[in-house]
Amino acid sequence: MIRCGMSEIVITPSLGSPIPGAGVERHSTGIKDDLYVKALVLETERLTLAFLVLDAVDIARREVEAVRSRVHTMTGIPGEHVIISATHAHTSGPTIETSYVKAVDEPYLQWIVQKAADAAAIAHANRREARIGFGLGAEDGIAFNRRFHMRDGTVQTNPGVGNPEIVRPEGPIDPDVSVIRIDDLDGNPIGIVTNYACHADVVGGLEYSGDYPGELSRTLKRVFGEQVVSLFFQGASGNINHIDVSGRTGMDRTRHYKTMGRILAGEAIKVREKVKPSTSLELHIRRAFVPIRFRRPTEEQLAWARRVLQAEPEYPRSEILFSRQAIELEHSEEVGADAEIQVIAFGPDAALVCLPAEQFVEFGLAIKNSSPFPLTIVNELSNGSVSGYVCTPEAYRQGGYENRLRKYSRLQTEAGDLFVRKAVELLNELKLVMGAS
């Protein structure tokens, strides 16, 4: 038997709050659509898990632990059985201090902790007997690797639509659309979980929006009813976004997030309808911490930073900010952190891997290719233990945007391989548990 509860609560910040991302400091002036925290509680005879997803660029460790503590107090679910992740919506609220947003709205952070825990408590109170199923589809026309080999031998991030100097993409995408179908015993939909790998930074501007995961949710509600909760797990998309540099697809930025959300919803609906949900589910969870060192600025990087700061008007704002942070990091006493990895088995055929930070797509693909489970879902930006980009070793050598050292992106170059190794180890451990049970 399985019991399930889902809920969603609006967490849109007040206007005038800072919006992270985009390379410049921005403050909100309006609302395209509301932001949410969404919750899923799964309960079997032996285990109860809570999944929380926030429409936010990220969520920091301090807030993760505060939410877990409050959820435990309100529901009895152990903190280590609470999984918290972000959709990475760049037009969201000030959930963390970022490279571009210096002011942290502490009252909002406290409020968002309360609302996230409230969502879990409501989902827990609403749990009922349910049926659950898992499926896999594909969509390869709305996500693109954003790093490119150029004719001059360099690698650039987002070199521009129609740029004649582009030779080829530097890496792959992940077209998988993983879907979890959750119905009540009469077959009425309770919720749909969708997993896809693409940066949710389509909208831009100064108005709050849940980006394409928000439109995915609205489309699913139009099809299945307003009571349906759409939970979105962001895949490994550190080097994946929505920009087709060939220009063949065209893009009206004011509407493209809606197009992406609807296309993704169409695939999710198709996959859902093919899934045969079951009233039984065997849940298992494992958690591990991987010690990660922080990179420190090299003498060459420090020399460049000093040159930039001595001639600030000649350089872009982003270059000035990165240079200031390089100088700041020269004197940082922080040497590293423990990165949390969680792995959940949904029976013998499906598993979920929860990773921190922004993982390059290659790491998500490596985990899937080595997983003993036929369906493996990878969910990045989970549990806030470490932040920043997790690049491939090649990317650190090649250059581009993602590998730049800054305050919130300084993990050691081997981090991605360490995450893959530990995730696969936990997956194999859970597979053995499933075989023995």
Side-chain angles (χ1 to χ4, degrees):
M1 182 192 74
I2 180 170
R3 301 174 76 198
C4 169
M6 300 188 76
S7 72
E8 54 188 354
I9 296 177
V10 173
I11 56 168
T12 308
S14 59
L15 299 188
S17 300
I19 299 177
V24 295
E25 190 163 333
R26 304 173 295 155
H27 291 81
S28 60
T29 61
I31 301 172
K32 283 186 184 294
D33 49 84
D34 275 317
L35 308 174
Y36 290 86
V37 56
K38 303 182 180 184
L40 163 64
V41 171
L42 295 179
E43 180 184 68
T44 65
E45 289 84 354
R46 60 174 302 276
L47 186 65
T48 302
L49 300 178
F51 302 85
L52 289 164
V53 179
L54 295 94
D55 286 331
V57 68
D58 200 353
I59 182 167
R61 186 66 174 188
R62 182 185 65 169
E63 283 67 55
V64 166
E65 292 306 323
V67 172
R68 283 172 163 170
S69 176
R70 183 171 164 84
V71 170
H72 177 63
T73 299
M74 299 174 76
T75 68
I77 300 173
E80 61 269 23
H81 292 170
V82 179
I83 298 92
I84 305 172
S85 60
T87 63
H88 202 52
H90 273 233
T91 46
S92 82
T95 54
I96 61 166
E97 181 181 3
T98 74
S99 297
Y100 300 110
V101 178
K102 300 301 180 184
V104 175
D105 188 342
E106 288 293 344
Y108 177 73
L109 290 177
Q110 295 172 17
W111 182 76
I112 207 173
V113 165
Q114 294 172 349
K115 291 302 175 184
D118 289 352
I122 293 170
H124 185 262
N126 289 343
R127 68 197 190 283
R128 50 187 159 149
E129 290 189 43
R131 301 192 301 170
I132 190 168
F134 303 83
L136 179 64
E139 171 51 53
D140 63 1
I142 59 173
F144 306 87
N145 198 294
R146 68 182 191 178
R147 292 170 54 83
F148 292 86
H149 290 283
M150 310 300 289
R151 293 189 188 279
D152 64 1
T154 63
V155 171
Q156 293 185 24
T157 302
N158 289 335
V161 176
N163 188 332
E165 298 303 308
I166 293 173
V167 177
R168 67 183 185 280
E170 192 274 332
I173 69 164
D174 182 354
D176 285 356
V177 180
S178 302
V179 175
I180 304 176
R181 173 178 179 170
I182 304 168
D183 296 347
D184 66 18
L185 294 185
D186 295 323
N188 301 309
I190 296 173
I192 301 172
V193 180
T194 309
N195 169 240
Y196 190 65
C198 184
H199 255 72
D201 63 350
V202 185
V203 176
L206 301 177
E207 294 181 314
Y208 290 125
S209 172
D211 215 279
Y212 75 83
E215 184 63 22
L216 164 68
S217 175
R218 288 185 292 275
T219 304
L220 294 176
K221 284 178 178 292
R222 285 194 289 269
V223 174
F224 296 109
E226 285 296 318
Q227 82 287 349
V228 169
V229 177
S230 168
L231 214 69
F232 182 75
F233 288 154
Q234 181 61 263
S237 57
N239 51 346
I240 306 296
N241 69 10
H242 61 283
I243 299 173
D244 178 5
V245 298
S246 73
R248 288 189 294 268
T249 60
M251 190 187 74
D252 176 358
R253 191 163 189 174
T254 62
R255 297 191 56 81
H256 191 63
Y257 74 103
K258 293 185 177 181
T259 299
M260 290 181 63
R262 292 168 186 174
I263 289 173
L264 197 55
E267 185 64 17
I269 292 168
K270 183 176 72 173
V271 174
R272 177 196 179 276
E273 295 305 305
K274 293 180 179 180
V275 168
K276 295 182 178 179
S278 171
T279 56
S280 63
L281 179 69
E282 188 176 353
L283 278 177
H284 292 275
I285 185 170
R286 290 291 185 275
R287 180 170 75 151
F289 290 89
V290 179
I292 296 295
R293 299 188 313 275
F294 290 153
R295 290 183 292 152
R296 303 189 67 83
T298 64
E299 288 301 321
E300 182 180 2
Q301 289 169 333
L302 290 170
W304 170 256
R306 294 187 183 101
R307 285 197 296 271
V308 170
L309 297 179
Q310 288 172 0
E312 284 194 13
E314 301 176 13
Y315 293 93
R317 178 179 173 81
S318 59
E319 197 68 39
I320 295 168
L321 290 172
F322 290 163
S323 295
R324 288 174 181 169
Q325 290 182 27
I327 299 297
E328 182 181 342
L329 290 174
E330 179 185 14
H331 306 290
S332 174
E333 296 181 358
E334 294 182 294
V335 296
D338 290 332
E340 180 179 348
I341 295 177
Q342 283 177 313
V343 175
I344 297 96
F346 305 102
D349 297 325
L352 171 68
V353 175
C354 299
L355 303 173
E358 296 181 64
Q359 308 285 329
F360 266 34
V361 69
E362 287 88 346
F363 299 124
L365 293 172
I367 290 171
K368 292 180 180 183
N369 290 336
S370 299
S371 173
F373 291 84
L375 173 63
T376 301
I377 301 169
V378 175
N379 182 27
E380 69 171 20
L381 294 165
S382 296
N383 300 323
S385 53
V386 292
S387 64
Y389 286 102
V390 182
C391 308
T392 61
E394 294 78 11
Y396 284 110
R397 294 192 295 267
Q398 292 165 339
Y401 168 78
E402 298 86 356
N403 64 1
R404 292 296 302 270
L405 178 69
R406 47 199 184 274
K407 188 173 181 179
Y408 289 97
S409 191
R410 49 180 170 151
L411 305 183
Q412 69 184 91
T413 57
E414 302 86 0
D417 291 332
L418 294 174
F419 293 157
V420 170
R421 192 177 309 150
K422 180 55 68 174
V424 173
E425 176 185 317
L426 294 176
L427 286 166
N428 284 324
E429 183 179 327
L430 283 181
K431 191 66 173 181
L432 287 174
V433 171
M434 300 301 302
S437 60

